[in-house]
Amino acid sequence: MLFVAALLSQSFSPSVVPRSGAGAVSAPAFAPLVASRAGAGAISATIDGHFAVGVLAVQGGFAEHMAAIERQSGVVGREVRVPSDLEGIDALILPGGESTTQGHCMMEAHLLEPVRAFAKSKPVWGVCAGMILLADGLAQDAPQALVGGLHATVERNAFGRQVDSRFRAMALSGSAAEAGVAAASYFIRAPAFAKVGEGVEVLATLPDGNKPVAVRQDNLLATCFHPEISGDDSWLHFFLNHVAKAGVDTTASAPYPDAAITAPWSPNPMPDSGVDVAVKRAFAVFQKGGVIMDVVNGEQARIAEEAGAVAVMALERIPADIKRDGGVARSSDPAMIKDVMAHTSLPVMAKARIGHFYEARVSCDSGSGFVSPPGPPHLAQARPPHRPMGRLSLGVLPSPPCLLLVAAIAATGFPVWPPVTAYPPLHPNRAPAM
């Protein structure tokens, strides 16, 4: 198997990388809090007097949560990648992404036990993949590192795969209804609660009253949806003031940015409408910081998921073999796509030749959520993190009902549109192997 894409680079929000002139690119705009690793004293001094919220930043959509935190008055955010980053913070957000990948990264960074200890007494909000991490158990029998603590069982991909992602309406209840939080949000390859235990308050369900999608248990909040990309800070306000008891003045918060410049770069559609462009673009937000692996059968897909990949590309043959033998890339076999899907809960991509839309349609009808054209060898190979050539970015083009992903090297440092940039190495405290 071959790595297709490793999303690398520095930590900055994709919504704040403006052009500073014709053809020019400004320097990355870093978050206000870039915590020093020189010692706990330096970190504490930076956040003194503010309510500090950490965001697990090993993989996924952590930048969108950091941006939301920065809009709040009296609140400061910190990206959490190593155990020392937990020192001095008052609450923690576990963002969306791929939960298996995040679990691997947490174990590798020795974060799993510290986060478990943190969640026993301090406020934690799990969003989508983070909700899976917070649960005590999974409905499916799948290898998964869990933080645990939330007395609930979670079903992964409860609404289907990426092609079933939607901007959905919810029925609010309990303290969430009293707080007036938003009753619609993006569900991206979302999980749901299969069972909730004693002491768990159901905050939201699907409109028919079945399938809880948001719950609270004492200091723990869990949502299967993504307010951070839904034009909505109300659930963050609920977490800060109702769960964390931070006493944040929400009237002093900065307004939510224009939909054209923040993920998923599109206004919210009508709830429960069909697949829209924003749903397709949102996928890339939660792949950040991960690796997509080429596979040629279901068993390789299973191994890729266990190894921590964020997605798999179902291929007829591995690109290196095609290059060696002087052949050409062909579209993926629908039977093979279904075999791969049966062996993994990860997003499954497939190949279709450029311009051959009927091939893309066949791949979509087979259940693949994403279709990618064969690319030149220099675009199909992952560049190691210690020898980057620009930043590897994802450009997203609408191709209903599938997502067309094109890997490209942005040698100038400016990301391919839409601005989905890569993020820092998963373990900055460890030197990459040469």
Side-chain angles (χ1 to χ4, degrees), residues 197 302 320:
R302 182 191 64 79

Side-chain angles (χ1 to χ4, degrees), residues 46-60:
T46 307
I47 62 177
D48 189 33
H50 294 83
F51 189 84
V53 180
V55 181
L56 182 68
V58 295
Q59 190 275 324

Side-chain angles (χ1 to χ4, degrees), residues 62 93 102 117 210 386 395 426:
F62 57 86
I93 297 175
Q102 292 178 358
N210 296 322
H386 54 283
L426 297 182

Side-chain angles (χ1 to χ4, degrees), residues 119-131:
K120 288 180 179 179
S121 60
K122 292 190 176 183
V124 179
W125 178 14
V127 179
C128 196
M131 178 183 109

Side-chain angles (χ1 to χ4, degrees), residues 33-360:
L33 173 63
V34 181
S36 167
R37 301 186 189 276
I43 295 175
S44 298
T46 307
I47 62 177
D48 189 33
H50 294 83
F51 189 84
V53 180
V55 181
L56 182 68
V58 295
Q59 190 275 324
F62 57 86
E64 286 66 34
H65 284 287
M66 287 293 294
I69 291 167
E70 290 158 15
R71 290 193 290 271
Q72 312 310 313
S73 175
V75 183
V76 67
R78 179 192 298 162
E79 295 175 353
V80 173
R81 294 191 180 88
V82 294
S84 61
D85 290 335
L86 292 169
E87 297 173 8
I89 66 172
D90 302 298
L92 180 66
I93 297 175
L94 307 179
E98 288 300 326
S99 60
T100 51
T101 305
Q102 292 178 358
H104 276 282
C105 294
M106 292 176 72
M107 290 191 292
E108 286 291 320
H110 305 290
L111 263 172
L112 190 59
E113 290 302 327
V115 171
R116 283 174 175 166
F118 187 97
K120 288 180 179 179
S121 60
K122 292 190 176 183
V124 179
W125 178 14
V127 179
C128 196
M131 178 183 109
I132 294 173
L133 292 175
L134 272 186
D136 280 341
L138 301 180
Q140 297 97 329
D141 182 18
Q144 171 74 67
L146 297 175
V147 172
L150 180 63
H151 305 327
T153 301
V154 170
E155 177 188 0
R156 298 179 66 182
N157 295 334
F159 299 86
R161 291 184 173 267
Q162 173 63 19
V163 293
D164 302 301
S165 295
R166 296 288 190 279
F167 186 79
R168 299 179 186 273
M170 301 172 280
L172 302 178
S173 59
S175 55
E178 294 173 4
V181 297
S185 194
Y186 275 110
F187 288 60
I188 308 296
R189 298 184 61 251
F193 292 98
K195 182 173 65 175
V196 296
E198 186 177 352
V200 177
E201 177 191 7
V202 175
L203 302 176
T205 65
L206 293 183
D208 60 8
N210 296 322
K211 196 168 288 188
V213 294
V215 303
R216 177 188 175 184
Q217 176 192 304
D218 299 324
N219 60 305
L220 304 179
L221 174 66
T223 61
C224 75
F225 46 86
H226 292 278
E228 75 281 5
I229 64 166
S230 302
D232 169 33
D233 284 343
S234 65
W235 281 92
L236 174 59
H237 295 161
F238 180 83
F239 175 63
L240 292 173
N241 287 339
H242 291 262
V243 180
K245 311 295 184 183
V248 174
D249 181 7
T250 58
T251 63
S253 301
Y256 201 95
D258 186 271
I261 62 171
T262 188
W265 305 281
S266 178
N268 291 339
M270 292 295 294
D272 305 308
S273 57
V275 177
D276 63 288
V277 172
V279 164
K280 301 168 191 177
R281 293 172 181 168
F283 164 75
V285 172
F286 305 108
Q287 294 280 288
K288 291 180 298 192
V291 171
I292 301 167
M293 298 186 71
D294 289 352
V295 300
V296 298
N297 56 49
E299 177 61 14
Q300 289 186 357
R302 182 191 64 79
I303 294 171
E305 181 167 1
E306 291 183 358
V310 296
V312 294
M313 176 70 78
L315 299 176
E316 178 211 15
R317 297 170 65 198
I318 297 300
D321 295 340
I322 296 174
K323 182 179 179 181
R324 179 197 62 202
D325 299 337
V328 295
R330 299 190 300 184
S331 61
S332 305
D333 183 345
M336 187 267 286
I337 294 172
K338 292 182 178 180
D339 178 50
V340 168
M341 292 177 63
H343 284 80
T344 182
S345 64
L346 294 176
V348 176
M349 303 180 183
K351 289 286 187 182
R353 290 176 294 175
I354 295 175
H356 290 251
F357 293 105
Y358 69 91
E359 293 183 358

